[in-house]
Amino acid sequence: MDPADIFGETIWHWIRRVLIFVSGLVLGGSLGEMIHAASGSSFSPDDVLDGLLEGPEWILGSLLSSIGPLVIGLLCVFVISSWSGYWWWFATVALVSAHVIFDEEEILAWGIWVLLLAMLAAGIRTWQMWKRNKWAQELAVLQSENSVMLAELVSAEADDDD
């Protein structure tokens, strides 16, 4: 293997994990802001869009404030950990969105939060199963091709022995 490929793949691995982590922060902030907007007394679809746009702005404003230690700890665990990035991403979204709606007193906001996180977890689980099934199908095709090649080799050796 080429050392440049190994080095490039290693760097890309870390960059990819950091970018996925940042997307979790942005989605968590946006999710929390949308829940705030949706649980208000005068709900309108424009409030949800405003919440979606305020999420990234909220993250940048909060990184140096009370959520800073949480973000730094999550970043360290997320990037360094060998565990599945999908579930660390989910945990990041859940913690950041919970931090955004922490002061919310309406039960509706927390109900929406639980519902959206359950949907997100189901989506992650579906994605993982799809990827696993995709690999299982490809491995089954390879196994059948290998069986055919092995049968041809055994047949050719039997013909040579005769």
Side-chain angles (χ1 to χ4, degrees):
M1 298 224 9
D2 185 19
D5 287 341
I6 295 171
F7 185 69
E9 181 63 30
T10 302
I11 288 178
W12 175 243
H13 170 76
W14 296 112
I15 291 171
R16 184 177 59 219
R17 285 187 76 96
V18 168
L19 290 176
I20 291 170
F21 176 73
V22 169
S23 77
L25 289 177
V26 170
L27 182 66
S30 298
L31 189 69
E33 290 294 332
M34 287 188 306
I35 291 170
H36 262 305
S39 66
S41 59
S42 60
F43 173 72
S44 74
D46 290 336
D47 292 339
V48 173
L49 292 176
D50 290 342
L52 181 62
L53 296 175
E54 290 173 8
E57 180 181 309
W58 177 88
I59 288 296
L60 293 176
S62 298
L63 281 179
L64 300 176
S65 65
S66 61
I67 197 170
L70 172 69
V71 169
I72 291 169
L74 281 172
L75 178 65
C76 291
V77 170
F78 191 89
V79 172
I80 294 171
S81 175
S82 62
W83 288 7
S84 173
Y86 299 116
W87 294 111
W88 281 116
W89 180 80
F90 175 77
T92 302
V93 171
L95 288 172
V96 169
S97 61
H99 180 75
V100 173
I101 65 168
F102 184 72
D103 295 335
E104 191 68 43
E105 294 179 3
E106 289 197 30
I107 193 74
L108 176 65
W110 289 101
I112 293 171
W113 180 75
V114 168
L115 177 68
L116 290 175
L117 287 182
M119 291 169 56
L120 187 61
I124 290 171
R125 185 71 180 151
T126 302
W127 175 259
Q128 283 184 317
M129 290 295 108
W130 175 78
K131 285 183 75 172
R132 183 181 297 165
N133 289 340
K134 179 182 157 193
W135 278 105
Q137 290 171 353
E138 290 179 12
L139 288 174
V141 168
L142 284 175
Q143 186 178 14
S144 66
E145 289 174 358
N146 286 342
S147 299
V148 168
M149 289 173 58
L150 181 63
E152 289 173 356
L153 283 173
V154 168
S155 173
E157 285 180 7
D159 290 342
D160 287 342
D161 289 340
D162 289 337

